mmCIF file of all heavy atoms in Angstrom:
data_model
loop_
_atom_site.group_PDB
_atom_site.id
_atom_site.type_symbol
_atom_site.label_atom_id
_atom_site.label_comp_id
_atom_site.label_asym_id
_atom_site.label_seq_id
_atom_site.Cartn_x
_atom_site.Cartn_y
_atom_site.Cartn_z
ATOM 1 N N ALA A 292 11.139 17.006 18.329
ATOM 2 C CA ALA A 292 10.341 17.171 19.549
ATOM 3 C C ALA A 292 9.161 18.109 19.320
ATOM 4 O O ALA A 292 8.748 18.847 20.210
ATOM 5 C CB ALA A 292 11.184 17.638 20.733
ATOM 6 N N SER A 293 8.608 18.091 18.102
ATOM 7 C CA SER A 293 7.428 18.910 17.831
ATOM 8 C C SER A 293 6.423 18.152 16.976
ATOM 9 O O SER A 293 6.717 17.780 15.837
ATOM 10 C CB SER A 293 7.827 20.201 17.115
ATOM 11 O OG SER A 293 6.675 20.846 16.632
ATOM 12 N N SER A 294 5.229 17.916 17.541
ATOM 13 C CA SER A 294 4.184 17.233 16.775
ATOM 14 C C SER A 294 3.773 18.069 15.573
ATOM 15 O O SER A 294 3.528 17.533 14.496
ATOM 16 C CB SER A 294 2.929 17.032 17.620
ATOM 17 O OG SER A 294 3.182 16.239 18.721
ATOM 18 N N MET A 327 -2.052 13.796 23.114
ATOM 19 C CA MET A 327 -0.683 13.697 23.606
ATOM 20 C C MET A 327 -0.544 12.509 24.538
ATOM 21 O O MET A 327 -0.406 12.663 25.760
ATOM 22 C CB MET A 327 -0.321 14.973 24.383
ATOM 23 C CG MET A 327 -0.514 16.236 23.606
ATOM 24 S SD MET A 327 1.049 16.821 23.016
ATOM 25 C CE MET A 327 0.577 17.913 21.714
ATOM 26 N N THR A 330 2.938 12.558 26.163
ATOM 27 C CA THR A 330 3.033 13.601 27.180
ATOM 28 C C THR A 330 2.305 13.156 28.454
ATOM 29 O O THR A 330 2.765 13.397 29.566
ATOM 30 C CB THR A 330 2.421 14.911 26.633
ATOM 31 O OG1 THR A 330 3.112 15.233 25.431
ATOM 32 C CG2 THR A 330 2.532 16.047 27.613
ATOM 33 N N THR A 368 -1.759 21.118 25.822
ATOM 34 C CA THR A 368 -0.348 21.282 25.478
ATOM 35 C C THR A 368 -0.192 21.467 23.971
ATOM 36 O O THR A 368 -0.697 20.675 23.198
ATOM 37 C CB THR A 368 0.425 20.001 25.902
ATOM 38 O OG1 THR A 368 0.187 19.772 27.278
ATOM 39 C CG2 THR A 368 1.908 20.142 25.660
ATOM 40 N N ALA A 369 0.520 22.531 23.566
ATOM 41 C CA ALA A 369 0.733 22.740 22.131
ATOM 42 C C ALA A 369 1.813 21.788 21.647
ATOM 43 O O ALA A 369 2.670 21.374 22.419
ATOM 44 C CB ALA A 369 1.167 24.174 21.889
ATOM 45 N N GLY A 370 1.755 21.438 20.349
ATOM 46 C CA GLY A 370 2.727 20.472 19.839
ATOM 47 C C GLY A 370 4.086 21.064 19.524
ATOM 48 O O GLY A 370 4.592 20.962 18.419
ATOM 49 N N VAL A 371 4.666 21.733 20.505
ATOM 50 C CA VAL A 371 6.005 22.301 20.313
ATOM 51 C C VAL A 371 6.921 21.801 21.433
ATOM 52 O O VAL A 371 6.430 21.349 22.464
ATOM 53 C CB VAL A 371 5.976 23.854 20.316
ATOM 54 C CG1 VAL A 371 5.254 24.381 19.106
ATOM 55 C CG2 VAL A 371 5.356 24.384 21.585
ATOM 56 N N PRO A 372 8.233 21.885 21.239
ATOM 57 C CA PRO A 372 9.123 21.325 22.254
ATOM 58 C C PRO A 372 8.908 21.918 23.644
ATOM 59 O O PRO A 372 8.634 23.113 23.788
ATOM 60 C CB PRO A 372 10.524 21.677 21.730
ATOM 61 C CG PRO A 372 10.336 21.803 20.260
ATOM 62 C CD PRO A 372 8.970 22.359 20.066
ATOM 63 N N SER A 373 9.004 21.056 24.647
ATOM 64 C CA SER A 373 8.974 21.428 26.072
ATOM 65 C C SER A 373 7.630 21.844 26.636
ATOM 66 O O SER A 373 7.524 22.111 27.831
ATOM 67 C CB SER A 373 9.969 22.556 26.381
ATOM 68 O OG SER A 373 11.206 21.959 26.607
ATOM 69 N N ALA A 374 6.587 21.910 25.809
ATOM 70 C CA ALA A 374 5.295 22.382 26.299
ATOM 71 C C ALA A 374 4.772 21.482 27.418
ATOM 72 O O ALA A 374 4.183 21.956 28.389
ATOM 73 C CB ALA A 374 4.296 22.437 25.161
ATOM 74 N N GLY A 375 5.000 20.176 27.300
ATOM 75 C CA GLY A 375 4.490 19.228 28.284
ATOM 76 C C GLY A 375 5.048 19.456 29.672
ATOM 77 O O GLY A 375 4.380 19.197 30.671
ATOM 78 N N ASP A 404 11.193 14.542 26.040
ATOM 79 C CA ASP A 404 10.365 15.160 25.015
ATOM 80 C C ASP A 404 10.470 14.435 23.673
ATOM 81 O O ASP A 404 9.471 14.249 22.968
ATOM 82 C CB ASP A 404 10.786 16.635 24.863
ATOM 83 C CG ASP A 404 9.693 17.479 24.243
ATOM 84 O OD1 ASP A 404 8.646 16.912 23.893
ATOM 85 O OD2 ASP A 404 9.884 18.703 24.099
ATOM 86 N N ARG A 407 8.305 11.369 24.003
ATOM 87 C CA ARG A 407 6.848 11.590 24.119
ATOM 88 C C ARG A 407 6.273 12.151 22.825
ATOM 89 O O ARG A 407 5.145 11.818 22.441
ATOM 90 C CB ARG A 407 6.508 12.448 25.337
ATOM 91 C CG ARG A 407 7.033 13.843 25.383
ATOM 92 C CD ARG A 407 6.702 14.524 26.712
ATOM 93 N NE ARG A 407 6.992 15.939 26.637
ATOM 94 C CZ ARG A 407 7.887 16.573 27.368
ATOM 95 N NH1 ARG A 407 8.569 15.927 28.281
ATOM 96 N NH2 ARG A 407 8.089 17.870 27.234
ATOM 97 N N THR A 408 7.048 12.974 22.116
ATOM 98 C CA THR A 408 6.541 13.509 20.848
ATOM 99 C C THR A 408 6.361 12.378 19.832
ATOM 100 O O THR A 408 5.371 12.344 19.085
ATOM 101 C CB THR A 408 7.508 14.575 20.288
ATOM 102 O OG1 THR A 408 7.788 15.510 21.324
ATOM 103 C CG2 THR A 408 6.926 15.289 19.097
ATOM 104 N N ASN A 411 3.233 10.758 20.677
ATOM 105 C CA ASN A 411 2.092 11.633 20.362
ATOM 106 C C ASN A 411 1.694 11.528 18.890
ATOM 107 O O ASN A 411 0.519 11.343 18.560
ATOM 108 C CB ASN A 411 2.440 13.099 20.672
ATOM 109 C CG ASN A 411 2.610 13.352 22.160
ATOM 110 O OD1 ASN A 411 2.219 12.531 22.980
ATOM 111 N ND2 ASN A 411 3.198 14.484 22.521
HETATM 112 N N1 LIG B 522 6.850 18.273 22.358
HETATM 113 C C1 LIG B 522 5.578 17.647 22.490
HETATM 114 C C2 LIG B 522 4.883 17.582 21.153
HETATM 115 O O1 LIG B 522 5.159 18.369 20.278
HETATM 116 C C3 LIG B 522 4.723 18.317 23.504
HETATM 117 C C4 LIG B 522 5.300 18.126 24.865
HETATM 118 O O2 LIG B 522 6.202 18.889 25.254
HETATM 119 O O3 LIG B 522 4.912 17.177 25.546
HETATM 120 O O4 LIG B 522 4.058 16.739 20.937
#
Side-chain angles (χ1 to χ4, degrees):
S293 169
S294 298
M327 305 258 161
T330 303
T368 305
V371 292
S373 275
D404 202 357
R407 63 185 191 243
T408 310
N411 292 345

